[in-house]
PDB file of all heavy atoms in Angstrom:
ATOM      1  N   TYR A   1     241.523 149.023  90.991  1.00  0.00           N
ATOM      2  CA  TYR A   1     241.013 150.108  91.832  1.00  0.00           C
ATOM      3  C   TYR A   1     239.469 150.202  91.611  1.00  0.00           C
ATOM      4  O   TYR A   1     238.759 150.383  92.689  1.00  0.00           O
ATOM      5  CB  TYR A   1     241.695 151.469  91.381  1.00  0.00           C
ATOM      6  CG  TYR A   1     241.116 152.696  91.962  1.00  0.00           C
ATOM      7  CD1 TYR A   1     241.340 153.146  93.233  1.00  0.00           C
ATOM      8  CD2 TYR A   1     240.279 153.442  91.200  1.00  0.00           C
ATOM      9  CE1 TYR A   1     240.830 154.266  93.760  1.00  0.00           C
ATOM     10  CE2 TYR A   1     239.649 154.661  91.669  1.00  0.00           C
ATOM     11  CZ  TYR A   1     239.951 155.055  92.970  1.00  0.00           C
ATOM     12  OH  TYR A   1     239.468 156.190  93.486  1.00  0.00           O
ATOM     13  N   HIS A   2     239.079 150.073  90.444  1.00  0.00           N
ATOM     14  CA  HIS A   2     237.613 150.106  90.137  1.00  0.00           C
ATOM     15  C   HIS A   2     236.892 148.919  90.852  1.00  0.00           C
ATOM     16  O   HIS A   2     235.841 149.098  91.426  1.00  0.00           O
ATOM     17  CB  HIS A   2     237.404 150.160  88.615  1.00  0.00           C
ATOM     18  CG  HIS A   2     235.917 150.265  88.295  1.00  0.00           C
ATOM     19  ND1 HIS A   2     235.259 151.457  88.161  1.00  0.00           N
ATOM     20  CD2 HIS A   2     235.016 149.308  87.938  1.00  0.00           C
ATOM     21  CE1 HIS A   2     234.033 151.267  87.850  1.00  0.00           C
ATOM     22  NE2 HIS A   2     233.831 149.946  87.704  1.00  0.00           N
ATOM     23  N   ALA A   3     237.523 147.776  90.741  1.00  0.00           N
ATOM     24  CA  ALA A   3     236.946 146.596  91.351  1.00  0.00           C
ATOM     25  C   ALA A   3     236.785 146.770  92.805  1.00  0.00           C
ATOM     26  O   ALA A   3     235.748 146.444  93.443  1.00  0.00           O
ATOM     27  CB  ALA A   3     237.722 145.373  90.999  1.00  0.00           C
ATOM     28  N   LYS A   4     237.787 147.303  93.502  1.00  0.00           N
ATOM     29  CA  LYS A   4     237.779 147.422  94.906  1.00  0.00           C
ATOM     30  C   LYS A   4     236.777 148.460  95.378  1.00  0.00           C
ATOM     31  O   LYS A   4     236.165 148.356  96.432  1.00  0.00           O
ATOM     32  CB  LYS A   4     239.189 147.742  95.468  1.00  0.00           C
ATOM     33  CG  LYS A   4     240.148 146.595  95.341  1.00  0.00           C
ATOM     34  CD  LYS A   4     241.483 146.915  95.976  1.00  0.00           C
ATOM     35  CE  LYS A   4     241.391 146.901  97.502  1.00  0.00           C
ATOM     36  NZ  LYS A   4     241.060 145.640  98.043  1.00  0.00           N
ATOM     37  N   ARG A   5     236.545 149.495  94.565  1.00  0.00           N
ATOM     38  CA  ARG A   5     235.597 150.534  94.955  1.00  0.00           C
ATOM     39  C   ARG A   5     234.160 150.136  94.630  1.00  0.00           C
ATOM     40  O   ARG A   5     233.272 150.504  95.425  1.00  0.00           O
ATOM     41  CB  ARG A   5     235.945 151.820  94.155  1.00  0.00           C
ATOM     42  CG  ARG A   5     237.113 152.586  94.681  1.00  0.00           C
ATOM     43  CD  ARG A   5     237.171 153.972  94.119  1.00  0.00           C
ATOM     44  NE  ARG A   5     236.083 154.790  94.589  1.00  0.00           N
ATOM     45  CZ  ARG A   5     235.769 155.974  94.050  1.00  0.00           C
ATOM     46  NH1 ARG A   5     236.454 156.451  93.036  1.00  0.00           N
ATOM     47  NH2 ARG A   5     234.746 156.653  94.560  1.00  0.00           N
ATOM     48  N   HIS A   6     233.914 149.452  93.531  1.00  0.00           N
ATOM     49  CA  HIS A   6     232.532 149.245  93.066  1.00  0.00           C
ATOM     50  C   HIS A   6     232.159 147.786  92.976  1.00  0.00           C
ATOM     51  O   HIS A   6     230.944 147.429  93.066  1.00  0.00           O
ATOM     52  CB  HIS A   6     232.326 149.861  91.745  1.00  0.00           C
ATOM     53  CG  HIS A   6     232.657 151.373  91.712  1.00  0.00           C
ATOM     54  ND1 HIS A   6     231.913 152.327  92.349  1.00  0.00           N
ATOM     55  CD2 HIS A   6     233.725 152.015  91.110  1.00  0.00           C
ATOM     56  CE1 HIS A   6     232.522 153.519  92.176  1.00  0.00           C
ATOM     57  NE2 HIS A   6     233.600 153.368  91.407  1.00  0.00           N
ATOM     58  N   LEU A   7     233.094 146.857  92.798  1.00  0.00           N
ATOM     59  CA  LEU A   7     232.803 145.482  92.602  1.00  0.00           C
ATOM     60  C   LEU A   7     233.699 144.593  93.367  1.00  0.00           C
ATOM     61  O   LEU A   7     234.386 143.670  92.888  1.00  0.00           O
ATOM     62  CB  LEU A   7     232.916 145.075  91.098  1.00  0.00           C
ATOM     63  CG  LEU A   7     231.902 145.811  90.110  1.00  0.00           C
ATOM     64  CD1 LEU A   7     232.331 145.620  88.707  1.00  0.00           C
ATOM     65  CD2 LEU A   7     230.530 145.311  90.376  1.00  0.00           C
ATOM     66  N   ARG A   8     233.802 144.858  94.716  1.00  0.00           N
ATOM     67  CA  ARG A   8     234.729 144.177  95.603  1.00  0.00           C
ATOM     68  C   ARG A   8     234.484 142.663  95.514  1.00  0.00           C
ATOM     69  O   ARG A   8     233.379 142.141  95.559  1.00  0.00           O
ATOM     70  CB  ARG A   8     234.497 144.626  97.005  1.00  0.00           C
ATOM     71  CG  ARG A   8     235.511 144.033  98.012  1.00  0.00           C
ATOM     72  CD  ARG A   8     235.286 144.686  99.399  1.00  0.00           C
ATOM     73  NE  ARG A   8     235.682 146.021  99.360  1.00  0.00           N
ATOM     74  CZ  ARG A   8     236.924 146.471  99.676  1.00  0.00           C
ATOM     75  NH1 ARG A   8     237.847 145.595  99.902  1.00  0.00           N
ATOM     76  NH2 ARG A   8     237.179 147.726  99.649  1.00  0.00           N
ATOM     77  N   GLY A   9     235.605 141.977  95.363  1.00  0.00           N
ATOM     78  CA  GLY A   9     235.528 140.464  95.227  1.00  0.00           C
ATOM     79  C   GLY A   9     235.297 139.982  93.863  1.00  0.00           C
ATOM     80  O   GLY A   9     235.085 138.770  93.635  1.00  0.00           O
ATOM     81  N   ARG A  10     235.283 140.909  92.891  1.00  0.00           N
ATOM     82  CA  ARG A  10     235.021 140.509  91.486  1.00  0.00           C
ATOM     83  C   ARG A  10     236.223 140.765  90.596  1.00  0.00           C
ATOM     84  O   ARG A  10     237.209 141.368  91.000  1.00  0.00           O
ATOM     85  CB  ARG A  10     233.806 141.334  90.949  1.00  0.00           C
ATOM     86  CG  ARG A  10     232.494 141.199  91.856  1.00  0.00           C
ATOM     87  CD  ARG A  10     231.676 139.990  91.481  1.00  0.00           C
ATOM     88  NE  ARG A  10     231.180 140.147  90.097  1.00  0.00           N
ATOM     89  CZ  ARG A  10     230.078 140.827  89.885  1.00  0.00           C
ATOM     90  NH1 ARG A  10     229.406 141.464  90.760  1.00  0.00           N
ATOM     91  NH2 ARG A  10     229.598 140.884  88.593  1.00  0.00           N
ATOM     92  N   THR A  11     236.011 140.400  89.301  1.00  0.00           N
ATOM     93  CA  THR A  11     237.103 140.589  88.304  1.00  0.00           C
ATOM     94  C   THR A  11     236.683 141.688  87.319  1.00  0.00           C
ATOM     95  O   THR A  11     235.504 141.639  86.862  1.00  0.00           O
ATOM     96  CB  THR A  11     237.384 139.311  87.524  1.00  0.00           C
ATOM     97  OG1 THR A  11     237.884 138.309  88.449  1.00  0.00           O
ATOM     98  CG2 THR A  11     238.449 139.565  86.469  1.00  0.00           C
ATOM     99  N   VAL A  12     237.520 142.675  87.058  1.00  0.00           N
ATOM    100  CA  VAL A  12     237.207 143.746  86.150  1.00  0.00           C
ATOM    101  C   VAL A  12     238.302 143.795  85.082  1.00  0.00           C
ATOM    102  O   VAL A  12     239.515 143.745  85.383  1.00  0.00           O
ATOM    103  CB  VAL A  12     237.122 145.095  86.910  1.00  0.00           C
ATOM    104  CG1 VAL A  12     237.020 146.238  85.897  1.00  0.00           C
ATOM    105  CG2 VAL A  12     236.020 145.096  87.892  1.00  0.00           C
ATOM    106  N   ILE A  13     237.868 143.891  83.834  1.00  0.00           N
ATOM    107  CA  ILE A  13     238.785 144.006  82.678  1.00  0.00           C
ATOM    108  C   ILE A  13     238.740 145.447  82.234  1.00  0.00           C
ATOM    109  O   ILE A  13     237.660 146.006  82.046  1.00  0.00           O
ATOM    110  CB  ILE A  13     238.420 143.089  81.576  1.00  0.00           C
ATOM    111  CG1 ILE A  13     238.498 141.612  82.051  1.00  0.00           C
ATOM    112  CG2 ILE A  13     239.344 143.221  80.360  1.00  0.00           C
ATOM    113  CD1 ILE A  13     238.022 140.575  81.002  1.00  0.00           C
ATOM    114  N   PHE A  14     239.903 146.022  81.938  1.00  0.00           N
ATOM    115  CA  PHE A  14     239.940 147.426  81.541  1.00  0.00           C
ATOM    116  C   PHE A  14     239.180 147.612  80.235  1.00  0.00           C
ATOM    117  O   PHE A  14     239.319 146.845  79.294  1.00  0.00           O
ATOM    118  CB  PHE A  14     241.395 147.809  81.333  1.00  0.00           C
ATOM    119  CG  PHE A  14     241.570 149.319  81.209  1.00  0.00           C
ATOM    120  CD1 PHE A  14     241.594 150.162  82.327  1.00  0.00           C
ATOM    121  CD2 PHE A  14     241.776 149.891  79.944  1.00  0.00           C
ATOM    122  CE1 PHE A  14     241.768 151.481  82.168  1.00  0.00           C
ATOM    123  CE2 PHE A  14     241.928 151.256  79.758  1.00  0.00           C
ATOM    124  CZ  PHE A  14     241.967 152.019  80.880  1.00  0.00           C
ATOM    125  N   SER A  15     238.389 148.728  80.258  1.00  0.00           N
ATOM    126  CA  SER A  15     237.495 148.966  79.064  1.00  0.00           C
ATOM    127  C   SER A  15     237.531 150.450  78.689  1.00  0.00           C
ATOM    128  O   SER A  15     238.202 151.251  79.359  1.00  0.00           O
ATOM    129  CB  SER A  15     236.010 148.555  79.467  1.00  0.00           C
ATOM    130  OG  SER A  15     235.629 149.411  80.563  1.00  0.00           O
ATOM    131  N   SER A  16     236.781 150.730  77.658  1.00  0.00           N
ATOM    132  CA  SER A  16     236.783 152.158  77.233  1.00  0.00           C
ATOM    133  C   SER A  16     236.103 153.055  78.269  1.00  0.00           C
ATOM    134  O   SER A  16     236.428 154.218  78.423  1.00  0.00           O
ATOM    135  CB  SER A  16     235.983 152.250  75.888  1.00  0.00           C
ATOM    136  OG  SER A  16     234.707 151.673  75.994  1.00  0.00           O
ATOM    137  N   GLU A  17     235.142 152.431  78.961  1.00  0.00           N
ATOM    138  CA  GLU A  17     234.507 153.295  80.064  1.00  0.00           C
ATOM    139  C   GLU A  17     235.505 153.561  81.164  1.00  0.00           C
ATOM    140  O   GLU A  17     235.543 154.711  81.665  1.00  0.00           O
ATOM    141  CB  GLU A  17     233.336 152.459  80.716  1.00  0.00           C
ATOM    142  CG  GLU A  17     232.176 152.288  79.771  1.00  0.00           C
ATOM    143  CD  GLU A  17     232.297 151.225  78.756  1.00  0.00           C
ATOM    144  OE1 GLU A  17     233.346 150.473  78.831  1.00  0.00           O
ATOM    145  OE2 GLU A  17     231.497 151.085  77.846  1.00  0.00           O
ATOM    146  N   LEU A  18     236.403 152.628  81.527  1.00  0.00           N
ATOM    147  CA  LEU A  18     237.380 152.926  82.543  1.00  0.00           C
ATOM    148  C   LEU A  18     238.441 153.882  81.998  1.00  0.00           C
ATOM    149  O   LEU A  18     238.937 154.695  82.784  1.00  0.00           O
ATOM    150  CB  LEU A  18     238.071 151.625  82.977  1.00  0.00           C
ATOM    151  CG  LEU A  18     237.139 150.590  83.731  1.00  0.00           C
ATOM    152  CD1 LEU A  18     238.032 149.429  84.232  1.00  0.00           C
ATOM    153  CD2 LEU A  18     236.461 151.298  84.894  1.00  0.00           C
ATOM    154  N   GLU A  19     238.693 153.814  80.708  1.00  0.00           N
ATOM    155  CA  GLU A  19     239.638 154.725  80.100  1.00  0.00           C
ATOM    156  C   GLU A  19     239.078 156.168  80.215  1.00  0.00           C
ATOM    157  O   GLU A  19     239.797 157.154  80.471  1.00  0.00           O
ATOM    158  CB  GLU A  19     239.895 154.436  78.663  1.00  0.00           C
ATOM    159  CG  GLU A  19     240.917 155.252  78.013  1.00  0.00           C
ATOM    160  CD  GLU A  19     241.245 154.807  76.584  1.00  0.00           C
ATOM    161  OE1 GLU A  19     240.611 153.910  76.045  1.00  0.00           O
ATOM    162  OE2 GLU A  19     242.210 155.392  75.953  1.00  0.00           O
ATOM    163  N   ALA A  20     237.785 156.328  79.968  1.00  0.00           N
ATOM    164  CA  ALA A  20     237.139 157.627  80.128  1.00  0.00           C
ATOM    165  C   ALA A  20     237.197 158.117  81.560  1.00  0.00           C
ATOM    166  O   ALA A  20     237.426 159.288  81.858  1.00  0.00           O
ATOM    167  CB  ALA A  20     235.698 157.535  79.656  1.00  0.00           C
ATOM    168  N   GLU A  21     237.034 157.162  82.535  1.00  0.00           N
ATOM    169  CA  GLU A  21     237.178 157.515  83.950  1.00  0.00           C
ATOM    170  C   GLU A  21     238.591 158.029  84.242  1.00  0.00           C
ATOM    171  O   GLU A  21     238.732 158.978  85.020  1.00  0.00           O
ATOM    172  CB  GLU A  21     236.848 156.312  84.805  1.00  0.00           C
ATOM    173  CG  GLU A  21     235.380 156.030  85.001  1.00  0.00           C
ATOM    174  CD  GLU A  21     235.134 154.917  86.039  1.00  0.00           C
ATOM    175  OE1 GLU A  21     236.059 154.691  86.815  1.00  0.00           O
ATOM    176  OE2 GLU A  21     234.033 154.367  86.029  1.00  0.00           O
ATOM    177  N   ILE A  22     239.571 157.356  83.727  1.00  0.00           N
ATOM    178  CA  ILE A  22     240.953 157.790  83.955  1.00  0.00           C
ATOM    179  C   ILE A  22     241.161 159.194  83.452  1.00  0.00           C
ATOM    180  O   ILE A  22     241.813 160.030  84.096  1.00  0.00           O
ATOM    181  CB  ILE A  22     241.917 156.816  83.289  1.00  0.00           C
ATOM    182  CG1 ILE A  22     241.981 155.502  84.086  1.00  0.00           C
ATOM    183  CG2 ILE A  22     243.356 157.376  83.258  1.00  0.00           C
ATOM    184  CD1 ILE A  22     242.905 154.488  83.519  1.00  0.00           C
ATOM    185  N   ARG A  23     240.623 159.468  82.237  1.00  0.00           N
ATOM    186  CA  ARG A  23     240.796 160.804  81.675  1.00  0.00           C
ATOM    187  C   ARG A  23     240.150 161.778  82.573  1.00  0.00           C
ATOM    188  O   ARG A  23     240.640 162.931  82.854  1.00  0.00           O
ATOM    189  CB  ARG A  23     240.305 160.871  80.277  1.00  0.00           C
ATOM    190  CG  ARG A  23     241.189 160.191  79.206  1.00  0.00           C
ATOM    191  CD  ARG A  23     240.852 160.673  77.836  1.00  0.00           C
ATOM    192  NE  ARG A  23     239.490 160.274  77.463  1.00  0.00           N
ATOM    193  CZ  ARG A  23     239.202 159.080  76.821  1.00  0.00           C
ATOM    194  NH1 ARG A  23     240.176 158.239  76.501  1.00  0.00           N
ATOM    195  NH2 ARG A  23     237.934 158.840  76.531  1.00  0.00           N
ATOM    196  N   SER A  24     238.915 161.431  83.026  1.00  0.00           N
ATOM    197  CA  SER A  24     238.184 162.325  83.899  1.00  0.00           C
ATOM    198  C   SER A  24     238.959 162.552  85.236  1.00  0.00           C
ATOM    199  O   SER A  24     239.023 163.620  85.807  1.00  0.00           O
ATOM    200  CB  SER A  24     236.770 161.791  84.130  1.00  0.00           C
ATOM    201  OG  SER A  24     236.116 162.545  85.121  1.00  0.00           O
ATOM    202  N   ARG A  25     239.439 161.450  85.726  1.00  0.00           N
ATOM    203  CA  ARG A  25     240.226 161.533  87.023  1.00  0.00           C
ATOM    204  C   ARG A  25     241.416 162.377  86.863  1.00  0.00           C
ATOM    205  O   ARG A  25     241.783 163.134  87.767  1.00  0.00           O
ATOM    206  CB  ARG A  25     240.581 160.041  87.425  1.00  0.00           C
ATOM    207  CG  ARG A  25     241.262 160.036  88.737  1.00  0.00           C
ATOM    208  CD  ARG A  25     241.528 158.646  89.261  1.00  0.00           C
ATOM    209  NE  ARG A  25     242.598 158.023  88.584  1.00  0.00           N
ATOM    210  CZ  ARG A  25     243.232 156.874  88.990  1.00  0.00           C
ATOM    211  NH1 ARG A  25     242.826 156.324  90.110  1.00  0.00           N
ATOM    212  NH2 ARG A  25     244.250 156.387  88.254  1.00  0.00           N
ATOM    213  N   GLY A  26     242.067 162.249  85.706  1.00  0.00           N
ATOM    214  CA  GLY A  26     243.265 163.100  85.472  1.00  0.00           C
ATOM    215  C   GLY A  26     242.934 164.551  85.427  1.00  0.00           C
ATOM    216  O   GLY A  26     243.657 165.402  85.954  1.00  0.00           O
ATOM    217  N   VAL A  27     241.774 164.845  84.794  1.00  0.00           N
ATOM    218  CA  VAL A  27     241.332 166.255  84.756  1.00  0.00           C
ATOM    219  C   VAL A  27     241.076 166.767  86.160  1.00  0.00           C
ATOM    220  O   VAL A  27     241.509 167.865  86.507  1.00  0.00           O
ATOM    221  CB  VAL A  27     240.075 166.394  83.843  1.00  0.00           C
ATOM    222  CG1 VAL A  27     239.511 167.783  83.983  1.00  0.00           C
ATOM    223  CG2 VAL A  27     240.432 166.098  82.412  1.00  0.00           C
ATOM    224  N   ILE A  28     240.349 165.963  86.944  1.00  0.00           N
ATOM    225  CA  ILE A  28     240.071 166.380  88.333  1.00  0.00           C
ATOM    226  C   ILE A  28     241.383 166.546  89.147  1.00  0.00           C
ATOM    227  O   ILE A  28     241.495 167.561  89.857  1.00  0.00           O
ATOM    228  CB  ILE A  28     239.168 165.318  89.013  1.00  0.00           C
ATOM    229  CG1 ILE A  28     237.815 165.339  88.357  1.00  0.00           C
ATOM    230  CG2 ILE A  28     239.097 165.552  90.478  1.00  0.00           C
ATOM    231  CD1 ILE A  28     236.854 164.277  88.847  1.00  0.00           C
ATOM    232  N   GLU A  29     242.304 165.613  88.993  1.00  0.00           N
ATOM    233  CA  GLU A  29     243.584 165.730  89.731  1.00  0.00           C
ATOM    234  C   GLU A  29     244.322 167.006  89.344  1.00  0.00           C
ATOM    235  O   GLU A  29     244.850 167.694  90.202  1.00  0.00           O
ATOM    236  CB  GLU A  29     244.409 164.498  89.551  1.00  0.00           C
ATOM    237  CG  GLU A  29     243.819 163.254  90.181  1.00  0.00           C
ATOM    238  CD  GLU A  29     244.666 161.977  89.860  1.00  0.00           C
ATOM    239  OE1 GLU A  29     245.607 162.094  89.043  1.00  0.00           O
ATOM    240  OE2 GLU A  29     244.348 160.943  90.385  1.00  0.00           O
ATOM    241  N   ASN A  30     244.388 167.261  88.023  1.00  0.00           N
ATOM    242  CA  ASN A  30     245.173 168.439  87.613  1.00  0.00           C
ATOM    243  C   ASN A  30     244.492 169.772  88.083  1.00  0.00           C
ATOM    244  O   ASN A  30     245.145 170.663  88.502  1.00  0.00           O
ATOM    245  CB  ASN A  30     245.224 168.476  86.043  1.00  0.00           C
ATOM    246  CG  ASN A  30     246.180 167.377  85.533  1.00  0.00           C
ATOM    247  OD1 ASN A  30     247.069 166.953  86.243  1.00  0.00           O
ATOM    248  ND2 ASN A  30     245.909 166.899  84.345  1.00  0.00           N
ATOM    249  N   LEU A  31     243.135 169.779  87.998  1.00  0.00           N
ATOM    250  CA  LEU A  31     242.429 171.037  88.478  1.00  0.00           C
ATOM    251  C   LEU A  31     242.554 171.144  90.007  1.00  0.00           C
ATOM    252  O   LEU A  31     242.624 172.296  90.493  1.00  0.00           O
ATOM    253  CB  LEU A  31     240.984 170.979  88.037  1.00  0.00           C
ATOM    254  CG  LEU A  31     240.708 171.110  86.555  1.00  0.00           C
ATOM    255  CD1 LEU A  31     239.237 170.972  86.207  1.00  0.00           C
ATOM    256  CD2 LEU A  31     241.225 172.481  86.046  1.00  0.00           C
ATOM    257  N   LEU A  32     242.540 170.020  90.696  1.00  0.00           N
ATOM    258  CA  LEU A  32     242.680 170.095  92.151  1.00  0.00           C
ATOM    259  C   LEU A  32     244.026 170.620  92.581  1.00  0.00           C
ATOM    260  O   LEU A  32     244.119 171.299  93.586  1.00  0.00           O
ATOM    261  CB  LEU A  32     242.422 168.623  92.684  1.00  0.00           C
ATOM    262  CG  LEU A  32     242.083 168.492  94.171  1.00  0.00           C
ATOM    263  CD1 LEU A  32     240.850 169.305  94.492  1.00  0.00           C
ATOM    264  CD2 LEU A  32     241.883 167.044  94.585  1.00  0.00           C
ATOM    265  N   ARG A  33     245.049 170.271  91.800  1.00  0.00           N
ATOM    266  CA  ARG A  33     246.364 170.795  92.168  1.00  0.00           C
ATOM    267  C   ARG A  33     246.485 172.295  92.093  1.00  0.00           C
ATOM    268  O   ARG A  33     247.261 172.909  92.768  1.00  0.00           O
ATOM    269  CB  ARG A  33     247.431 170.170  91.190  1.00  0.00           C
ATOM    270  CG  ARG A  33     247.700 168.664  91.462  1.00  0.00           C
ATOM    271  CD  ARG A  33     248.902 168.208  90.593  1.00  0.00           C
ATOM    272  NE  ARG A  33     249.207 166.830  90.818  1.00  0.00           N
ATOM    273  CZ  ARG A  33     248.756 165.770  90.103  1.00  0.00           C
ATOM    274  NH1 ARG A  33     247.958 166.052  89.052  1.00  0.00           N
ATOM    275  NH2 ARG A  33     249.056 164.556  90.348  1.00  0.00           N
ATOM    276  N   THR A  34     245.710 172.851  91.180  1.00  0.00           N
ATOM    277  CA  THR A  34     245.793 174.353  90.991  1.00  0.00           C
ATOM    278  C   THR A  34     244.630 175.042  91.573  1.00  0.00           C
ATOM    279  O   THR A  34     244.497 176.231  91.439  1.00  0.00           O
ATOM    280  CB  THR A  34     245.818 174.635  89.486  1.00  0.00           C
ATOM    281  OG1 THR A  34     244.693 174.134  88.805  1.00  0.00           O
ATOM    282  CG2 THR A  34     247.098 174.048  88.803  1.00  0.00           C
ATOM    283  N   SER A  35     243.783 174.365  92.355  1.00  0.00           N
ATOM    284  CA  SER A  35     242.586 174.953  92.898  1.00  0.00           C
ATOM    285  C   SER A  35     242.897 175.811  94.099  1.00  0.00           C
ATOM    286  O   SER A  35     243.877 175.600  94.754  1.00  0.00           O
ATOM    287  CB  SER A  35     241.558 173.940  93.297  1.00  0.00           C
ATOM    288  OG  SER A  35     242.045 173.172  94.358  1.00  0.00           O
ATOM    289  N   ASP A  36     242.074 176.845  94.265  1.00  0.00           N
ATOM    290  CA  ASP A  36     242.208 177.741  95.450  1.00  0.00           C
ATOM    291  C   ASP A  36     241.203 177.203  96.493  1.00  0.00           C
ATOM    292  O   ASP A  36     239.966 177.337  96.363  1.00  0.00           O
ATOM    293  CB  ASP A  36     241.864 179.168  95.026  1.00  0.00           C
ATOM    294  CG  ASP A  36     241.914 180.153  96.185  1.00  0.00           C
ATOM    295  OD1 ASP A  36     242.150 179.671  97.325  1.00  0.00           O
ATOM    296  OD2 ASP A  36     241.822 181.367  95.936  1.00  0.00           O
TER     297      ASP A  36
END
């Protein structure tokens, strides 16, 4: 998903930075579900 959004046509290996993105994405998704 990260490769297609930011590095199309390239190879991306999962890293601690992407793990932080996932956590942030999870927070956004959870807050979005309960948002007004």
Side-chain angles (χ1 to χ4, degrees):
Y1 170 79
H2 183 84
K4 291 186 72 66
R5 285 194 65 192
H6 305 291
L7 297 167
R8 184 176 291 271
R10 303 275 294 279
T11 297
V12 173
I13 300 176
F14 192 79
S15 62
S16 56
E17 290 80 5
L18 294 185
E19 186 176 5
E21 278 188 22
I22 288 181
R23 287 198 295 268
S24 174
R25 185 174 75 163
V27 170
I28 292 174
E29 290 176 356
N30 289 333
L31 291 176
L32 198 58
R33 287 189 179 95
T34 59
S35 68
D36 181 352

